[in-house]
Amino acid sequence: MVMETTTEFEDVSYIPPEDLVYLRKMFQIYHVLLLYISPFIIVLGTTGNILSFCVLQTPFFKKTACGFLLKVLAVVDTGCLNCGLLRFWIMEIASLDKLDVRNLSEASCKIHSWLTTLFPQLSSWTLALVNIDRAVSVAFPINSRIIWTKTRVISVWVAICLSLVTLNSHHLVVQSIQEFSYGTFSFNVCIPAEKYMHFAQDIWPWVDFIVVDAVPCIVIIVSNVVIIYHLVQSNKHRTRTVVGHH
């Protein structure tokens, strides 16, 4: 279902010739990268994630919390590749926006927008949990399997997943197919409805930045600091022990 209201474009302001040359070069580079590099990234990334998932199915990894997190990370990263980059590559090789999966229907517009933001956030938080797992293993080498059990890790990941699913559910309401017209030419685009434009442009980017980048990055940095600290302390203790024996 397409929204009845249409938006007409205003005349484009004058662009200096030197800027046009620069923009044309940038577009050429963009199209070359998207057309020829994207399929390699998609194929190699997807294949690598599938192989990783198969390896992590071995009995040893099945028993560990890290094995669970790495399997989930492989699935989520595959979703990131095939939900985001694959869409742009298909549009590029077809040279038609009609093949944009978001423009096929209201449902595809909402669901794809929802998944495109959900997968990167899940990937960031899963990677953060992997770093926490490493930090706990280094800081508490004896009791790590008691403190950070696979059951607890699964519970934490599921809680994070449900929270992110809920957080991103606004896409199911905000996004819709809008009809635009320029003279006699008209086309449909999946964008936020006009009444939600302020939220989508001014508020949500900051929320997304905090969730997908800022907080997971802080968790990863703190986890690595803990790991480095305990490794340094362990090395100092080992050195003192060796010197004491001599």
Side-chain angles (χ1 to χ4, degrees):
M1 178 180 177
V2 180
M3 300 294 292
E4 294 181 358
T5 57
T6 61
T7 302
E8 293 188 358
F9 289 106
E10 297 179 356
D11 292 336
V12 180
S13 59
Y14 174 73
I15 301 177
E18 59 273 15
D19 290 345
L20 283 175
V21 173
Y22 173 77
L23 289 174
R24 190 176 294 111
K25 290 181 179 179
M26 291 299 101
F27 273 116
Q28 289 174 348
I29 295 173
Y30 166 79
H31 289 304
V32 169
L33 291 175
L34 188 59
L35 184 61
Y36 298 107
I37 305 301
S38 294
F40 287 100
I41 296 175
I42 294 170
V43 172
L44 290 177
T46 302
T47 304
N49 287 328
I50 292 174
L51 292 175
S52 296
F53 188 89
C54 293
V55 171
L56 293 168
Q57 285 293 96
T58 56
F60 173 78
F61 287 107
K62 278 187 175 182
K63 298 178 181 179
T64 63
C66 187
F68 166 77
L69 291 174
L70 292 176
K71 281 191 292 185
V72 171
L73 186 62
V75 174
V76 172
D77 283 348
T78 302
C80 289
L81 280 175
N82 292 280
C83 195
L85 185 58
L86 181 61
R87 170 195 170 217
F88 290 106
W89 183 64
I90 292 175
M91 292 168 60
E92 180 67 20
I93 61 175
S95 299
L96 289 172
D97 288 341
K98 291 181 180 179
L99 291 181
D100 185 356
V101 66
R102 290 193 182 185
N103 296 337
L104 296 178
S105 66
E106 281 285 334
S108 64
C109 170
K110 296 176 182 295
I111 294 174
H112 189 271
S113 300
W114 175 60
L115 291 176
T116 303
T117 56
L118 176 62
F119 278 133
Q121 292 177 3
L122 269 177
S123 179
S124 296
W125 279 96
T126 304
L127 188 59
L129 289 178
V130 171
N131 278 265
I132 293 176
D133 176 80
R134 292 170 55 229
V136 172
S137 298
V138 173
F140 308 99
I142 297 176
N143 298 322
S144 60
R145 292 189 177 182
I146 300 175
I147 299 172
W148 194 244
T149 64
K150 181 180 178 180
T151 302
R152 288 179 181 174
V153 170
I154 294 176
S155 299
V156 172
W157 188 86
V158 170
I160 292 174
C161 182
L162 292 176
S163 299
L164 294 178
V165 166
T166 304
L167 178 66
N168 288 278
S169 61
H170 71 277
H171 286 292
L172 303 177
V173 177
V174 171
Q175 296 291 117
S176 62
I177 295 181
Q178 306 288 326
E179 183 178 351
F180 289 84
S181 62
Y182 183 72
T184 58
F185 178 72
S186 63
F187 57 95
N188 299 328
V189 181
C190 174
I191 60 173
E194 187 175 353
K195 61 181 178 180
Y196 301 117
M197 196 63 71
H198 170 67
F199 170 80
Q201 291 184 341
D202 301 328
I203 299 176
W204 174 249
W206 286 103
V207 175
D208 187 48
F209 166 74
I210 292 171
V211 175
V212 77
D213 292 319
V215 178
C217 184
I218 292 172
V219 173
I220 291 172
I221 291 173
V222 172
S223 299
N224 283 311
V225 168
V226 171
I227 293 171
I228 293 172
Y229 171 78
H230 281 88
L231 288 177
V232 170
Q233 292 298 111
S234 176
N235 187 54
K236 287 182 179 179
H237 177 72
R238 190 181 300 108
T239 302
R240 287 196 298 266
T241 302
V242 173
V243 172
H245 282 300
H246 285 79

